[in-house]
Each structure stands twice: as structure tokens, then as C-alpha cells.
Amino acid sequence: MTTTHFKWLGYTEGVSFLLLLFIAMPLKYMAGIPLAVSIVGAAHGFLFVAYVLAAMYMAWRLRWGFKVLTLAVTASVIPFGPFLLEKRVLPSTEKTSN
């Protein structure tokens, strides 16, 4: 896995989380359509696990410190977190790993 693949996985996980929070959950609780959460929730769950495993792999491969790994995992549970991680943290790790 390359840094580019990890960034794309982060974007995908981040978008799935936002879809779950701002579209699927309102559909379930305001419109009575629980199927949206079932579908988007399952996709997001898969992407979340893949993202955390990928973060652990990238931490090992690029020799990230504990702080960067913790930020990456924490970013996955905060809305817009993966986007902020990619813009603010990952560029500095790319410079130091080359």
C-alpha cells in the first residue's frame, strides 16, 4: 500500500462516515427508513476497519511515531477527521520518510 492508496482509503472512509451521519441516520430517525443505516453502516464499518488496519500498516512501513498513528486512528472517528489528517499531518510524514 502506498501513501496515495492510504489517502484514498481515508477519503472513502471519511465520506462514508459523513453519509452515515448526515444522510442515513436522518433518514432512519426522521423519515423512518432504517434500510439506509443498514447499507451505509455496513459499508462504513468495513471501510473503518480497513482504514485502521491500513493506518497500522502505514505506521509500520513508514516508521510513524505513536503520535501520528494515534492521530490517524482518532481521525477515523471524528467527522472530517481523515480530510484534516491528510492535509495537516501526512504531508509532514512524507517529507521525513524520504
Side-chain angles (χ1 to χ4, degrees):
M1 172 173 275
T2 65
T3 305
T4 303
H5 291 121
F6 180 69
K7 287 178 183 180
W8 277 106
L9 181 58
Y11 283 140
T12 307
E13 192 275 336
V15 168
S16 74
F17 189 34
L18 295 175
L19 288 173
L20 182 65
L21 289 177
F22 297 115
I23 295 176
M25 291 183 75
L27 282 173
K28 178 179 180 176
Y29 293 108
M30 291 184 218
I33 305 172
L35 182 62
V37 169
S38 298
I39 295 169
V40 177
H44 171 67
F46 173 78
L47 289 167
F48 171 77
V49 171
Y51 180 80
V52 171
L53 291 173
M56 292 180 353
Y57 172 75
M58 294 300 286
W60 170 76
R61 184 173 165 263
L62 298 177
R63 299 188 194 325
W64 287 351
F66 181 74
K67 180 181 177 182
V68 176
L69 177 59
T70 302
L71 286 171
V73 173
T74 302
S76 68
V77 296
I78 298 172
F80 302 101
F83 308 110
L84 294 172
L85 179 81
E86 191 273 326
K87 291 291 182 199
R88 297 199 177 175
V89 177
L90 292 184
S92 65
T93 63
E94 289 174 349
K95 291 175 189 170
T96 58
S97 66
N98 290 333

Coordinates of all heavy atoms in Angstrom, one line a residue:
M1 N 0.8 -1.2 0.0 CA 0.0 0.0 0.0 C 0.9 1.2 0.0 O 1.8 1.3 0.8 CB -0.9 0.0 1.2 CG -1.7 1.3 1.4 SD -2.9 1.2 2.7 CE -4.3 0.5 1.8
T2 N 0.5 2.2 -0.9 CA 1.3 3.4 -0.9 C 0.6 4.5 -0.1 O -0.6 4.3 0.3 CB 1.4 3.9 -2.4 OG1 0.1 4.2 -2.9 CG2 2.1 2.8 -3.2
T3 N 1.2 5.6 0.1 CA 0.6 6.7 0.8 C -0.6 7.2 0.0 O -1.6 7.6 0.6 CB 1.6 7.9 0.9 OG1 2.8 7.4 1.6 CG2 1.1 9.0 1.7
T4 N -0.5 7.2 -1.3 CA -1.7 7.6 -2.1 C -2.9 6.7 -1.9 O -4.0 7.2 -1.8 CB -1.3 7.6 -3.6 OG1 -0.2 8.5 -3.8 CG2 -2.5 8.1 -4.5
H5 N -2.6 5.4 -1.8 CA -3.7 4.5 -1.6 C -4.3 4.7 -0.2 O -5.5 4.7 0.0 CB -3.2 3.0 -1.6 CG -2.9 2.6 -3.0 ND1 -1.7 2.1 -3.3 CD2 -3.6 2.5 -4.2 CE1 -1.6 1.8 -4.6 NE2 -2.8 2.1 -5.1
F6 N -3.5 5.0 0.8 CA -3.9 5.3 2.1 C -4.8 6.5 2.2 O -5.8 6.6 2.8 CB -2.8 5.4 3.1 CG -3.2 5.7 4.5 CD1 -3.9 4.7 5.3 CD2 -2.9 6.9 5.1 CE1 -4.3 5.0 6.6 CE2 -3.3 7.1 6.4 CZ -4.0 6.2 7.1
K7 N -4.4 7.5 1.4 CA -5.1 8.8 1.4 C -6.5 8.6 0.8 O -7.5 9.1 1.3 CB -4.4 9.9 0.6 CG -3.2 10.4 1.3 CD -2.5 11.4 0.5 CE -1.2 12.0 1.2 NZ -0.5 13.0 0.4
W8 N -6.6 7.8 -0.3 CA -7.8 7.5 -1.0 C -8.7 6.6 0.0 O -9.9 6.9 0.0 CB -7.6 6.8 -2.3 CG -7.4 7.7 -3.4 CD1 -6.2 8.0 -4.0 CD2 -8.3 8.7 -4.0 NE1 -6.3 9.0 -4.9 CE2 -7.6 9.4 -4.9 CE3 -9.6 8.9 -3.8 CZ2 -8.2 10.4 -5.7 CZ3 -10.2 9.9 -4.6 CH2 -9.5 10.6 -5.5
L9 N -8.1 5.7 0.7 CA -8.9 5.0 1.7 C -9.5 5.9 2.7 O -10.6 5.8 3.2 CB -8.1 3.8 2.3 CG -8.8 2.9 3.3 CD1 -10.0 2.2 2.7 CD2 -7.8 1.9 3.8
G10 N -8.7 6.8 3.2 CA -9.1 7.8 4.2 C -10.2 8.7 3.6 O -11.2 8.9 4.3
Y11 N -10.1 9.1 2.4 CA -11.2 9.9 1.8 C -12.5 9.1 1.7 O -13.6 9.5 2.1 CB -10.9 10.3 0.4 CG -9.9 11.5 0.2 CD1 -8.9 11.5 -0.7 CD2 -10.0 12.6 1.1 CE1 -8.1 12.5 -0.9 CE2 -9.2 13.7 0.9 CZ -8.2 13.6 0.0 OH -7.3 14.7 -0.2
T12 N -12.4 7.8 1.3 CA -13.6 7.0 1.2 C -14.2 6.7 2.5 O -15.4 6.8 2.7 CB -13.2 5.6 0.5 OG1 -12.5 5.9 -0.7 CG2 -14.4 4.8 0.2
E13 N -13.4 6.4 3.5 CA -13.9 6.2 4.9 C -14.5 7.5 5.4 O -15.6 7.4 6.0 CB -12.7 5.7 5.8 CG -13.2 5.2 7.1 CD -13.4 6.3 8.2 OE1 -12.8 7.4 8.1 OE2 -14.2 6.0 9.1
G14 N -13.9 8.6 5.2 CA -14.5 9.9 5.7 C -15.8 10.2 5.0 O -16.7 10.6 5.7
V15 N -15.9 10.0 3.7 CA -17.2 10.2 3.0 C -18.2 9.2 3.5 O -19.4 9.6 3.7 CB -17.0 10.1 1.5 CG1 -18.3 10.0 0.8 CG2 -16.2 11.2 1.0
S16 N -17.9 8.0 3.7 CA -18.9 7.0 4.2 C -19.4 7.4 5.6 O -20.6 7.3 5.9 CB -18.3 5.6 4.3 OG -17.4 5.4 5.3
F17 N -18.5 7.9 6.5 CA -18.9 8.4 7.8 C -19.8 9.6 7.7 O -20.9 9.6 8.4 CB -17.6 8.8 8.6 CG -17.9 9.0 10.1 CD1 -18.9 8.3 10.8 CD2 -17.1 10.0 10.7 CE1 -19.1 8.6 12.1 CE2 -17.3 10.2 12.1 CZ -18.3 9.5 12.8
L18 N -19.5 10.5 6.8 CA -20.4 11.7 6.6 C -21.8 11.3 6.1 O -22.8 11.8 6.5 CB -19.7 12.7 5.7 CG -18.5 13.4 6.3 CD1 -17.8 14.3 5.3 CD2 -18.8 14.1 7.6
L19 N -21.8 10.3 5.1 CA -23.0 9.8 4.6 C -23.9 9.2 5.7 O -25.1 9.4 5.8 CB -22.8 8.8 3.5 CG -22.3 9.4 2.1 CD1 -21.9 8.2 1.2 CD2 -23.3 10.3 1.5
L20 N -23.2 8.4 6.5 CA -23.9 7.8 7.6 C -24.5 8.8 8.6 O -25.7 8.7 9.0 CB -22.9 6.8 8.4 CG -23.5 6.1 9.6 CD1 -24.6 5.1 9.1 CD2 -22.4 5.3 10.3
L21 N -23.7 9.8 9.0 CA -24.1 10.8 10.0 C -25.2 11.7 9.4 O -26.2 12.1 10.1 CB -23.0 11.6 10.4 CG -22.0 10.9 11.4 CD1 -20.8 11.9 11.7 CD2 -22.6 10.5 12.6
F22 N -25.0 12.2 8.2 CA -25.8 13.3 7.7 C -26.9 12.9 6.7 O -27.8 13.7 6.4 CB -24.9 14.4 7.1 CG -24.0 15.0 8.1 CD1 -22.7 14.9 8.0 CD2 -24.5 15.7 9.2 CE1 -21.8 15.5 8.9 CE2 -23.7 16.3 10.1 CZ -22.3 16.2 10.0
I23 N -26.9 11.7 6.2 CA -27.9 11.2 5.3 C -28.6 10.0 5.9 O -29.9 10.0 6.0 CB -27.4 11.0 3.9 CG1 -26.9 12.3 3.3 CG2 -28.4 10.3 3.0 CD1 -26.2 12.2 2.0
A24 N -27.9 8.9 6.1 CA -28.5 7.7 6.5 C -29.2 7.8 7.9 O -30.4 7.3 8.1 CB -27.5 6.6 6.6
M25 N -28.6 8.4 8.9 CA -29.2 8.5 10.2 C -30.4 9.4 10.2 O -31.4 9.0 10.8 CB -28.2 8.9 11.3 CG -27.2 7.7 11.5 SD -26.0 8.1 12.8 CE -27.0 7.9 14.2
P26 N -30.4 10.5 9.6 CA -31.6 11.3 9.5 C -32.7 10.6 8.8 O -33.9 10.7 9.1 CB -31.2 12.6 8.7 CG -29.8 12.7 9.0 CD -29.2 11.3 9.1
L27 N -32.4 9.8 7.7 CA -33.4 9.0 7.0 C -34.0 8.0 8.0 O -35.3 7.8 8.0 CB -32.8 8.3 5.8 CG -32.6 9.2 4.6 CD1 -31.9 8.4 3.5 CD2 -34.0 9.7 4.0
K28 N -33.2 7.4 8.8 CA -33.7 6.4 9.8 C -34.6 7.1 10.8 O -35.7 6.6 11.1 CB -32.6 5.7 10.4 CG -33.1 4.7 11.4 CD -31.9 3.9 12.1 CE -32.5 2.9 13.1 NZ -31.4 2.1 13.7
Y29 N -34.1 8.1 11.5 CA -34.8 8.7 12.6 C -35.9 9.7 12.3 O -36.8 9.9 13.1 CB -33.8 9.2 13.6 CG -33.0 8.1 14.2 CD1 -31.6 8.0 13.9 CD2 -33.5 7.2 15.1 CE1 -30.9 6.9 14.4 CE2 -32.8 6.2 15.6 CZ -31.5 6.0 15.3 OH -30.7 5.0 15.8
M30 N -35.7 10.4 11.1 CA -36.7 11.4 10.8 C -37.7 10.9 9.7 O -38.9 11.4 9.7 CB -36.0 12.7 10.3 CG -35.3 13.4 11.3 SD -34.6 14.9 10.7 CE -33.0 15.0 11.5
A31 N -37.3 10.0 8.9 CA -38.2 9.6 7.8 C -38.6 8.1 8.0 O -39.4 7.6 7.2 CB -37.5 9.7 6.5
G32 N -38.1 7.4 9.0 CA -38.5 6.1 9.2 C -37.9 5.1 8.2 O -38.6 4.1 7.9
I33 N -36.8 5.3 7.7 CA -36.2 4.4 6.6 C -34.9 3.8 7.2 O -33.8 4.3 7.0 CB -35.9 5.2 5.3 CG1 -37.2 5.9 4.8 CG2 -35.4 4.3 4.3 CD1 -36.9 6.8 3.7
P34 N -35.0 2.7 8.0 CA -33.8 2.2 8.6 C -32.9 1.5 7.6 O -31.7 1.2 8.0 CB -34.4 1.2 9.6 CG -35.7 0.8 9.1 CD -36.2 2.0 8.4
L35 N -33.3 1.2 6.4 CA -32.5 0.4 5.5 C -31.3 1.3 5.1 O -30.2 0.7 4.9 CB -33.3 0.1 4.2 CG -32.6 -0.6 3.1 CD1 -32.2 -2.0 3.6 CD2 -33.5 -0.8 1.9
A36 N -31.4 2.6 5.1 CA -30.2 3.4 4.8 C -29.1 3.2 5.7 O -27.9 3.1 5.3 CB -30.7 4.9 4.8
V37 N -29.4 3.1 7.0 CA -28.3 2.9 8.0 C -27.8 1.5 7.9 O -26.6 1.3 8.0 CB -28.8 3.1 9.5 CG1 -27.9 2.7 10.5 CG2 -29.1 4.6 9.7
S38 N -28.6 0.5 7.5 CA -28.1 -0.8 7.4 C -27.1 -0.9 6.2 O -26.0 -1.5 6.4 CB -29.3 -1.8 7.1 OG -30.2 -1.8 8.1
I39 N -27.4 -0.3 5.1 CA -26.5 -0.3 4.0 C -25.2 0.5 4.2 O -24.1 0.0 4.1 CB -27.2 0.1 2.7 CG1 -28.3 -0.9 2.4 CG2 -26.3 0.2 1.5 CD1 -29.3 -0.5 1.3
V40 N -25.5 1.8 4.5 CA -24.3 2.7 4.6 C -23.5 2.3 5.9 O -22.3 2.4 5.9 CB -24.8 4.2 4.7 CG1 -23.6 5.1 5.0 CG2 -25.5 4.6 3.4
G41 N -24.2 1.9 6.9 CA -23.5 1.5 8.1 C -22.6 0.3 7.9 O -21.4 0.2 8.4
A42 N -23.0 -0.7 7.2 CA -22.2 -1.8 6.8 C -21.0 -1.4 6.0 O -19.9 -1.9 6.3 CB -23.0 -2.9 6.1
A43 N -21.2 -0.6 5.0 CA -20.1 -0.1 4.2 C -19.1 0.7 5.0 O -17.9 0.5 4.9 CB -20.6 0.7 3.0
H44 N -19.6 1.5 5.8 CA -18.7 2.3 6.7 C -18.0 1.5 7.7 O -16.8 1.7 7.9 CB -19.5 3.4 7.4 CG -18.7 4.1 8.5 ND1 -17.6 4.9 8.1 CD2 -18.7 4.0 9.8 CE1 -17.0 5.3 9.2 NE2 -17.7 4.8 10.3
G45 N -18.6 0.5 8.2 CA -17.9 -0.4 9.2 C -16.8 -1.2 8.5 O -15.7 -1.3 9.1
F46 N -17.0 -1.6 7.3 CA -15.9 -2.3 6.5 C -14.8 -1.3 6.3 O -13.6 -1.6 6.5 CB -16.5 -2.9 5.2 CG -15.4 -3.4 4.3 CD1 -14.8 -4.6 4.5 CD2 -14.9 -2.7 3.2 CE1 -13.8 -5.1 3.7 CE2 -13.9 -3.1 2.4 CZ -13.4 -4.4 2.7
L47 N -15.1 -0.1 5.8 CA -14.1 0.9 5.5 C -13.3 1.3 6.7 O -12.1 1.6 6.7 CB -14.7 2.1 4.7 CG -15.2 1.8 3.3 CD1 -16.1 2.9 2.8 CD2 -14.0 1.6 2.4
F48 N -14.0 1.5 7.8 CA -13.4 1.9 9.1 C -12.3 0.8 9.5 O -11.2 1.2 9.8 CB -14.5 2.0 10.2 CG -13.9 2.2 11.6 CD1 -13.4 3.5 11.9 CD2 -13.8 1.2 12.5 CE1 -12.9 3.7 13.2 CE2 -13.3 1.4 13.7 CZ -12.8 2.6 14.1
V49 N -12.7 -0.4 9.5 CA -11.7 -1.5 9.8 C -10.6 -1.5 8.9 O -9.4 -1.6 9.3 CB -12.4 -2.9 9.9 CG1 -11.4 -4.0 10.1 CG2 -13.4 -2.9 11.1
A50 N -10.9 -1.4 7.6 CA -9.8 -1.3 6.6 C -8.9 -0.1 6.8 O -7.6 -0.2 6.7 CB -10.4 -1.3 5.2
Y51 N -9.4 1.0 7.2 CA -8.7 2.2 7.4 C -7.7 2.1 8.6 O -6.6 2.4 8.6 CB -9.6 3.4 7.6 CG -8.9 4.7 7.8 CD1 -8.3 5.5 6.8 CD2 -8.8 5.2 9.1 CE1 -7.6 6.6 7.0 CE2 -8.1 6.4 9.4 CZ -7.5 7.1 8.3 OH -6.9 8.3 8.5
V52 N -8.3 1.5 9.7 CA -7.5 1.4 10.9 C -6.3 0.4 10.6 O -5.2 0.6 11.0 CB -8.3 0.9 12.1 CG1 -7.5 0.5 13.3 CG2 -9.3 2.1 12.5
L53 N -6.6 -0.7 10.0 CA -5.6 -1.7 9.6 C -4.5 -1.1 8.7 O -3.3 -1.3 8.9 CB -6.2 -3.0 9.0 CG -7.0 -3.8 9.9 CD1 -7.7 -4.9 9.1 CD2 -6.2 -4.4 11.1
A54 N -5.0 -0.3 7.7 CA -4.1 0.4 6.8 C -3.2 1.4 7.6 O -2.0 1.5 7.3 CB -4.9 1.1 5.7
A55 N -3.8 2.1 8.5 CA -3.0 3.1 9.3 C -1.9 2.3 10.1 O -0.8 2.8 10.2 CB -3.9 3.8 10.3
M56 N -2.3 1.2 10.7 CA -1.3 0.4 11.4 C -0.2 -0.1 10.4 O 1.0 0.0 10.8 CB -1.9 -0.8 12.1 CG -2.8 -0.3 13.3 SD -3.7 -1.5 14.3 CE -3.4 -3.0 13.6
Y57 N -0.5 -0.5 9.3 CA 0.5 -0.9 8.3 C 1.3 0.2 7.9 O 2.6 0.1 7.8 CB -0.2 -1.5 7.1 CG 0.7 -1.8 5.9 CD1 1.6 -2.9 6.0 CD2 0.8 -1.0 4.8 CE1 2.5 -3.1 5.0 CE2 1.7 -1.2 3.8 CZ 2.5 -2.3 3.9 OH 3.4 -2.5 2.9
M58 N 0.7 1.4 7.6 CA 1.5 2.6 7.2 C 2.4 3.0 8.3 O 3.5 3.5 8.0 CB 0.6 3.7 6.7 CG -0.2 3.4 5.5 SD 0.8 3.0 4.0 CE 1.4 4.7 3.6
A59 N 2.0 2.9 9.5 CA 2.8 3.3 10.6 C 4.0 2.4 10.7 O 5.2 2.9 11.0 CB 2.0 3.2 11.9
W60 N 3.9 1.2 10.5 CA 5.0 0.2 10.5 C 5.9 0.5 9.3 O 7.1 0.6 9.4 CB 4.5 -1.2 10.4 CG 5.5 -2.2 10.2 CD1 6.4 -2.7 11.1 CD2 5.8 -2.9 9.0 NE1 7.3 -3.6 10.5 CE2 6.9 -3.7 9.2 CE3 5.2 -2.9 7.7 CZ2 7.4 -4.6 8.2 CZ3 5.7 -3.7 6.7 CH2 6.8 -4.5 7.0
R61 N 5.3 0.6 8.1 CA 6.1 0.8 6.8 C 6.8 2.1 6.8 O 8.0 2.1 6.4 CB 5.1 0.7 5.6 CG 5.8 0.7 4.3 CD 4.8 0.5 3.2 NE 5.3 0.9 1.9 CZ 5.1 2.0 1.3 NH1 4.4 2.9 1.9 NH2 5.7 2.3 0.2
L62 N 6.2 3.2 7.2 CA 6.8 4.5 7.1 C 7.5 4.9 8.4 O 7.9 6.1 8.6 CB 5.8 5.5 6.7 CG 5.2 5.3 5.3 CD1 4.2 6.4 5.0 CD2 6.3 5.3 4.2
R63 N 7.4 4.0 9.4 CA 8.0 4.3 10.7 C 7.4 5.6 11.4 O 8.1 6.4 11.9 CB 9.5 4.4 10.7 CG 10.2 3.2 10.2 CD 11.7 3.3 10.3 NE 12.6 2.4 9.6 CZ 12.5 1.1 9.4 NH1 11.4 0.5 9.7 NH2 13.4 0.4 8.8
W64 N 6.1 5.6 11.3 CA 5.4 6.7 12.0 C 5.6 6.5 13.5 O 5.7 5.4 14.0 CB 3.9 6.7 11.8 CG 3.5 7.1 10.4 CD1 4.2 7.7 9.4 CD2 2.1 7.0 9.9 NE1 3.5 7.9 8.3 CE2 2.2 7.5 8.6 CE3 1.0 6.5 10.4 CZ2 1.1 7.5 7.7 CZ3 -0.2 6.5 9.6 CH2 -0.1 7.0 8.3
G65 N 5.6 7.6 14.2 CA 5.7 7.5 15.7 C 4.3 7.2 16.2 O 3.3 7.2 15.5
F66 N 4.2 6.9 17.5 CA 2.9 6.6 18.1 C 1.9 7.8 18.0 O 0.8 7.6 17.8 CB 3.2 6.3 19.6 CG 1.9 5.9 20.4 CD1 1.3 4.7 20.2 CD2 1.3 6.8 21.2 CE1 0.2 4.3 20.8 CE2 0.2 6.5 21.9 CZ -0.4 5.2 21.7
K67 N 2.5 9.0 18.0 CA 1.6 10.2 17.9 C 0.9 10.2 16.6 O -0.4 10.5 16.5 CB 2.4 11.5 18.1 CG 1.6 12.7 18.0 CD 2.5 14.0 18.2 CE 1.7 15.2 18.0 NZ 2.6 16.4 18.2
V68 N 1.6 10.0 15.5 CA 1.0 10.0 14.2 C -0.1 8.9 14.0 O -1.2 9.1 13.5 CB 2.0 10.0 13.1 CG1 1.4 9.9 11.7 CG2 2.9 11.2 13.2
L69 N 0.3 7.7 14.5 CA -0.7 6.6 14.4 C -1.9 6.9 15.2 O -3.0 6.6 14.8 CB 0.0 5.3 14.9 CG -0.9 4.1 15.0 CD1 -1.5 3.7 13.6 CD2 -0.2 2.9 15.6
T70 N -1.7 7.4 16.4 CA -2.9 7.8 17.3 C -3.7 8.9 16.6 O -5.0 8.8 16.6 CB -2.4 8.3 18.6 OG1 -1.6 7.3 19.3 CG2 -3.6 8.7 19.5
L71 N -3.1 9.8 15.9 CA -3.9 10.8 15.2 C -4.7 10.2 14.0 O -5.8 10.6 13.8 CB -2.9 11.9 14.7 CG -2.4 12.9 15.7 CD1 -1.3 13.8 15.1 CD2 -3.5 13.8 16.3
A72 N -4.0 9.3 13.3 CA -4.7 8.6 12.2 C -5.9 7.8 12.7 O -7.0 7.9 12.1 CB -3.7 7.7 11.5
V73 N -5.8 7.1 13.8 CA -6.9 6.3 14.3 C -8.0 7.2 14.8 O -9.2 7.0 14.6 CB -6.4 5.3 15.3 CG1 -7.6 4.6 16.0 CG2 -5.5 4.2 14.6
T74 N -7.6 8.2 15.6 CA -8.5 9.2 16.1 C -9.3 9.9 15.0 O -10.5 10.2 15.1 CB -7.8 10.2 17.0 OG1 -7.2 9.5 18.1 CG2 -8.8 11.2 17.6
A75 N -8.6 10.2 13.9 CA -9.2 10.9 12.8 C -10.4 10.1 12.2 O -11.3 10.7 11.7 CB -8.2 11.2 11.7
S76 N -10.3 8.8 12.3 CA -11.3 8.0 11.7 C -12.7 8.0 12.5 O -13.7 7.6 11.9 CB -10.9 6.5 11.6 OG -10.7 5.9 12.9
V77 N -12.7 8.5 13.7 CA -13.9 8.6 14.5 C -14.4 10.0 14.6 O -15.4 10.2 15.3 CB -13.8 7.9 15.8 CG1 -13.5 6.4 15.7 CG2 -12.7 8.6 16.7
I78 N -13.8 11.0 14.0 CA -14.2 12.4 14.0 C -14.7 12.8 12.7 O -14.0 12.5 11.7 CB -13.0 13.3 14.5 CG1 -12.5 12.9 15.9 CG2 -13.4 14.7 14.4 CD1 -11.2 13.6 16.3
P79 N -15.9 13.4 12.6 CA -16.3 13.8 11.3 C -15.3 14.8 10.6 O -14.7 15.7 11.3 CB -17.6 14.6 11.5 CG -18.1 13.9 12.8 CD -16.9 13.6 13.6
F80 N -15.0 14.6 9.4 CA -14.0 15.3 8.6 C -12.5 15.0 9.1 O -11.6 15.6 8.6 CB -14.2 16.8 8.6 CG -15.6 17.2 8.1 CD1 -16.6 17.5 9.0 CD2 -15.8 17.3 6.8 CE1 -17.9 17.9 8.5 CE2 -17.1 17.6 6.3 CZ -18.1 17.9 7.2
G81 N -12.3 14.1 10.0 CA -11.0 13.8 10.5 C -10.0 13.3 9.5 O -8.9 13.8 9.4
P82 N -10.4 12.3 8.6 CA -9.4 11.9 7.6 C -9.0 13.0 6.7 O -7.9 13.0 6.2 CB -10.2 10.8 6.9 CG -11.2 10.3 7.9 CD -11.6 11.5 8.7
F83 N -9.9 13.9 6.4 CA -9.5 15.0 5.5 C -8.5 15.9 6.1 O -7.6 16.4 5.5 CB -10.8 15.8 5.1 CG -11.9 14.9 4.5 CD1 -13.0 14.7 5.3 CD2 -11.8 14.3 3.3 CE1 -14.1 13.9 4.8 CE2 -12.8 13.4 2.8 CZ -13.9 13.3 3.6
L84 N -8.7 16.2 7.4 CA -7.8 17.1 8.1 C -6.4 16.4 8.3 O -5.4 17.0 8.2 CB -8.3 17.4 9.5 CG -9.6 18.3 9.5 CD1 -10.1 18.5 10.9 CD2 -9.2 19.7 8.9
L85 N -6.5 15.1 8.6 CA -5.2 14.3 8.7 C -4.4 14.4 7.4 O -3.2 14.6 7.4 CB -5.5 12.8 9.1 CG -4.3 11.9 9.2 CD1 -3.7 12.1 10.6 CD2 -4.7 10.5 9.0
E86 N -5.1 14.2 6.3 CA -4.4 14.2 5.0 C -3.8 15.5 4.7 O -2.7 15.6 4.1 CB -5.4 13.8 3.9 CG -4.7 13.5 2.6 CD -4.5 14.7 1.7 OE1 -5.4 15.6 1.8 OE2 -3.5 14.8 1.0
K87 N -4.4 16.6 5.1 CA -4.0 18.0 4.8 C -2.9 18.4 5.8 O -2.0 19.2 5.4 CB -5.1 19.0 4.8 CG -6.1 18.8 3.6 CD -5.4 19.2 2.3 CE -6.4 19.0 1.2 NZ -5.7 18.9 -0.1
R88 N -3.0 18.1 7.0 CA -2.1 18.7 8.0 C -1.0 17.7 8.6 O 0.0 18.2 8.9 CB -3.0 19.2 9.2 CG -3.9 20.3 8.8 CD -4.4 21.0 9.9 NE -5.2 22.1 9.4 CZ -5.9 22.9 10.2 NH1 -5.8 22.8 11.5 NH2 -6.6 23.9 9.7
V89 N -1.3 16.5 8.7 CA -0.3 15.5 9.3 C 0.5 14.8 8.2 O 1.7 14.7 8.3 CB -1.0 14.6 10.3 CG1 0.0 13.6 10.9 CG2 -1.7 15.4 11.3
L90 N -0.2 14.2 7.3 CA 0.5 13.3 6.3 C 1.6 14.0 5.5 O 2.6 13.4 5.2 CB -0.5 12.6 5.4 CG -1.4 11.5 6.1 CD1 -2.2 10.8 5.1 CD2 -0.6 10.6 7.0
P91 N 1.4 15.2 5.1 CA 2.5 15.9 4.3 C 3.8 15.9 5.1 O 4.9 15.7 4.5 CB 2.0 17.3 4.0 CG 0.5 17.1 4.0 CD 0.2 16.1 5.1
S92 N 3.7 16.2 6.4 CA 5.0 16.2 7.2 C 5.6 14.9 7.3 O 6.8 14.7 7.4 CB 4.7 16.9 8.6 OG 3.8 16.0 9.3
T93 N 4.8 13.8 7.4 CA 5.4 12.5 7.5 C 6.0 12.0 6.1 O 7.0 11.3 6.2 CB 4.3 11.4 7.9 OG1 3.3 11.3 6.9 CG2 3.7 11.7 9.2
E94 N 5.5 12.5 5.0 CA 6.1 12.2 3.7 C 7.4 12.8 3.6 O 8.3 12.2 3.0 CB 5.1 12.6 2.6 CG 3.9 11.8 2.5 CD 2.9 12.3 1.5 OE1 3.1 13.5 1.0 OE2 2.0 11.6 1.2
K95 N 7.6 14.0 4.1 CA 8.9 14.7 4.0 C 10.0 14.0 4.8 O 11.1 13.9 4.4 CB 8.7 16.2 4.4 CG 7.9 17.0 3.5 CD 7.7 18.4 4.1 CE 6.7 19.2 3.2 NZ 6.3 20.4 3.8
T96 N 9.6 13.5 6.0 CA 10.5 12.9 6.8 C 10.8 11.4 6.4 O 11.9 10.9 6.8 CB 10.1 12.9 8.3 OG1 8.8 12.2 8.4 CG2 10.0 14.3 8.8
S97 N 10.0 10.8 5.7 CA 10.2 9.4 5.3 C 11.0 9.2 4.0 O 11.5 8.2 3.7 CB 8.9 8.6 5.1 OG 8.2 9.2 4.0
N98 N 11.3 10.3 3.3 CA 12.0 10.2 2.1 C 13.5 10.3 2.3 O 14.1 10.8 3.2 CB 11.6 11.3 1.1 CG 10.2 11.1 0.5 OD1 9.8 9.9 0.5 ND2 9.6 12.1 0.1

